[in-house]
Amino acid sequence: MTAAVDDDLWSAVGDPTRRRMLDLLLADGGGTATSLSERLPVTRQAVAKHLGVLDRVGLVHAAPAGRERRYRVDEEQLARAVAQLSSVGAAWDARLRRIKLIAEAVQRERADQA
Amino acid sequence: MTAAVDDDLWSAVGDPTRRRMLDLLLADGGGTATSLSERLPVTRQAVAKHLGVLDRVGLVHAAPAGRERRYRVDEEQLARAVAQLSSVGAAWDARLRRIKLIAEAVQRERADQA
DNA sequence: TAGAACTCGCAACCAACGGTTGCGCATGCC
DNA sequence: GGCATGCGCAACCGTTGGTTGCGAGTTCTA
């Protein structure tokens, strides 16, 4: 049921470092590869690569400012990703609930027979 | 804010193939590496490795049955993972909402000045 | 205005991981 | 006993997250 369409956006958000980057960018209202790397346990280059990935899927946008390259979160796109995320969660939740109901029904049936 | 504690469970569920495996296991009420690999675009060995990962984080449990090795989903653990998932989603959602409010406030302030 | 300081991008390299193929071993069925 | 089936182990490959090293462009300042 869980389609494969999600996978590009999902996998972009799937990386822990990228999640923390998005978190920092949201908290500070933007940032550069260098500024982010100072608050993360990875080097600037690693951050830069991640920013490239996030840029490709449209979760962030770059704005050259002098010698800096300032990144900001595309909130609309992130909202879309979050929606997909919670929809997957909801699907599993529903399935788990259904399984539980069936299990309980079987239990009741057995109890009736005994 | 999003802690690093989630990362083990989260990354286990992060892989698309593992998500589809969990989905299949839930739908069929269990399965073996071979049975799963027949319904997935990967080999039995790849599936076996993934089952090992899922087993290590407690999302599935193995029950040797004759020459088979039958796996079942630990629904409680999966429910916990789903909860973490949606909590992360909720956190981002809240932050996005807050950002939006601030932005609107700034807009209004500017309008008043003009 | 020349040079120091800072930020960035590119390239080479490494480790981990998802995936495959090829084997050998155990279990079950005829 | 013999054949088929299911599993585990090992070697190997491509991708990806991460690092170091370096050269080039921009800003600040002496």
Side-chain angles (χ1 to χ4, degrees), chain B residues 70-91:
Chain B
R70 190 148 215 88
Y71 284 87
R72 285 197 52 222
V73 176
D74 184 327
E75 299 169 12
E76 190 166 338
Q77 187 75 353
L78 178 55
R80 207 167 307 163
V82 170
Q84 287 191 8
L85 197 101
S86 55
S87 96
V88 171

Side-chain angles (χ1 to χ4, degrees), chain A residues 32-34 44-45 67 69:
Chain A
T32 68
T34 311
R44 175 183 62 85
Q45 278 78 354
R67 74 181 158 190
R69 196 173 166 79

Side-chain angles (χ1 to χ4, degrees), chain B residues 32-34 44-45 67-69:
Chain B
T32 68
T34 311
R44 175 182 62 85
Q45 277 78 353
R67 73 181 157 188
E68 284 188 346
R69 194 173 167 80

Side-chain angles (χ1 to χ4, degrees), chain A residues 22 25-26 54 57-61 71-81, chain B residues 96:
Chain A
L22 286 172
L25 284 178
L26 277 178
L54 292 174
V57 301
L59 278 171
V60 301
H61 296 298
Y71 284 87
R72 285 196 52 223
V73 175
D74 184 327
E75 299 168 12
E76 190 166 340
Q77 187 75 353
L78 178 55
R80 206 167 307 163
Chain B
L96 280 172

Side-chain angles (χ1 to χ4, degrees), chain B residues 106-114:
Chain B
V106 172
Q107 279 284 339
R108 231 174 298 124
E109 222 163 276
R110 281 227 192 96
D112 287 352
Q113 277 187 348

Side-chain angles (χ1 to χ4, degrees), chain B residues 26-100:
Chain B
L26 277 178
D28 302 353
T32 68
T34 311
S35 76
L36 283 178
S37 69
E38 287 167 353
R39 309 182 60 184
L40 286 172
V42 294
T43 58
R44 175 182 62 85
Q45 277 78 353
V47 172
K49 287 188 190 177
H50 284 304
L51 283 174
V53 174
L54 292 174
D55 198 357
R56 257 188 294 284
V57 300
L59 279 172
V60 302
H61 296 299
R67 73 181 157 188
E68 284 188 346
R69 194 173 167 80
R70 190 148 215 88
Y71 284 87
R72 285 197 52 222
V73 176
D74 184 327
E75 299 169 12
E76 190 166 338
Q77 187 75 353
L78 178 55
R80 207 167 307 163
V82 170
Q84 287 191 8
L85 197 101
S86 55
S87 96
V88 171
W92 269 339
D93 208 40
R95 178 156 281 168
L96 280 172
R97 219 186 306 280
R98 222 181 315 153
I99 302 267
K100 198 175 178 182

